[in-house]
Amino acid sequence: MSGNLAAGFADLDTGRRERTGFPEVVFCQGKEDAFLRDIFVRLYGANGEVMGTRASPAQYEAVRSVLPGAGYDALSRLITARKEAAPEPLGNIAVCTAGTADIAVAEEAAQTAEFFGGRVSRIYDVGVSGIHRLLSRTEEIRRANVVVAVAGMEGALASVIGGLVSVPVIAVPTSVGYGANLGGLSALLTMINSCANGVSVVNIDNGYGAGYIATQINRLAVAGKATQ
């Protein structure tokens, strides 16, 4: 049965996993601590697990006061809590970055995919300015069911990877760059205008969105291989 738990300030979607295969995730940024505590406790009780994105250390402490077993990763800014151990990860999702400055967004993608049950291969600092670094990892990237390409500056990494692999590429523009990067807009426009086939694009710095979509594609690939 699907249903909602009304908390006065939040109408929680406790039936989302049944409809979509994924439980509701909490966007923490801007939420009051009291709201977060209540939301996390309710979702944890309903689903047996809960994840929050864009959380500050102070917000984590607020959540931990009511869910002592919750964990926090300062780089990805994710809060996670589970009643039971995570299942054995499935498939293969490659998360690539152009530079080390893009890793925070990449980790949001990678850890989101891992929370939802995917096996993740991290391939960091393979930007086009040192193309040999990417080419030396090509075979590893090609073994993935889906690739997440995270890049700031001009955002060329996704196009290059798109021309090297036979699987979908999810491009994530980041706000990393100098003034004309325009907070990630230049990378976003480059990725949207990519001439490489099979490249799709999420919003600037949206590692969570990329990790979610990558998980959907990975699950389809795993299911397809199981029926062969």
Side-chain angles (χ1 to χ4, degrees):
M1 284 291 290
S2 63
N4 295 326
L5 295 173
F9 49 83
D11 192 6
L12 304 183
D13 187 0
T14 57
R16 188 174 300 185
R17 194 205 304 267
E18 182 179 334
R19 299 192 317 274
T20 69
F22 298 84
E24 183 174 10
V25 171
V26 185
F27 182 76
C28 299
Q29 187 175 317
K31 286 186 172 64
E32 295 288 337
D33 288 352
F35 294 171
L36 278 181
R37 285 192 291 266
D38 191 278
I39 290 169
F40 267 81
V41 167
R42 289 171 179 266
L43 288 177
Y44 183 76
N47 298 322
E49 61 184 18
V50 60
M51 183 172 79
T53 66
R54 297 301 173 92
S56 69
Q59 288 177 318
Y60 166 60
E61 291 301 329
V63 171
R64 194 162 68 117
S65 69
V66 290
L67 289 178
Y72 179 66
D73 181 74
L75 186 59
S76 64
R77 294 186 286 171
L78 295 178
I79 300 173
T80 56
R82 270 198 166 97
K83 289 185 178 179
E84 300 179 358
E88 184 70 20
L90 298 174
N92 188 2
I93 299 167
V95 177
C96 307
T97 72
T100 54
D102 302 306
I103 289 177
V105 176
E107 278 300 309
E108 185 180 50
Q111 293 182 39
T112 293
E114 288 173 334
F115 182 81
F116 289 135
R119 178 179 290 106
V120 174
S121 300
R122 290 165 170 81
I123 302 168
Y124 291 168
D125 199 21
V126 290
V128 299
S129 62
I131 195 70
H132 62 286
R133 297 175 301 186
L134 175 62
L135 297 178
S136 70
R137 308 290 294 276
T138 301
E139 291 307 313
E140 182 180 356
I141 297 170
R142 284 175 174 163
R143 288 195 290 269
N145 295 322
V146 57
V147 180
V148 177
V150 185
M153 298 292 188
E154 86 288 10
L157 179 65
S159 291
V160 177
I161 291 178
L164 294 172
V165 301
S166 62
V167 299
V169 176
I170 303 167
V172 188
T174 73
S175 52
V176 172
Y178 292 101
N181 170 264
L182 302 175
L185 182 60
S186 63
L188 173 65
L189 292 176
T190 296
M191 292 170 171
I192 288 175
N193 286 285
S194 174
C195 65
N197 296 316
V199 176
S200 62
V201 188
V202 298
N203 207 344
I204 298 167
D205 292 336
N206 188 11
Y208 164 75
Y212 186 106
I213 297 168
T215 302
Q216 290 179 307
I217 295 170
N218 186 56
R219 286 181 179 181
L220 290 171
V222 170
K225 291 175 182 177
T227 60
Q228 291 178 356

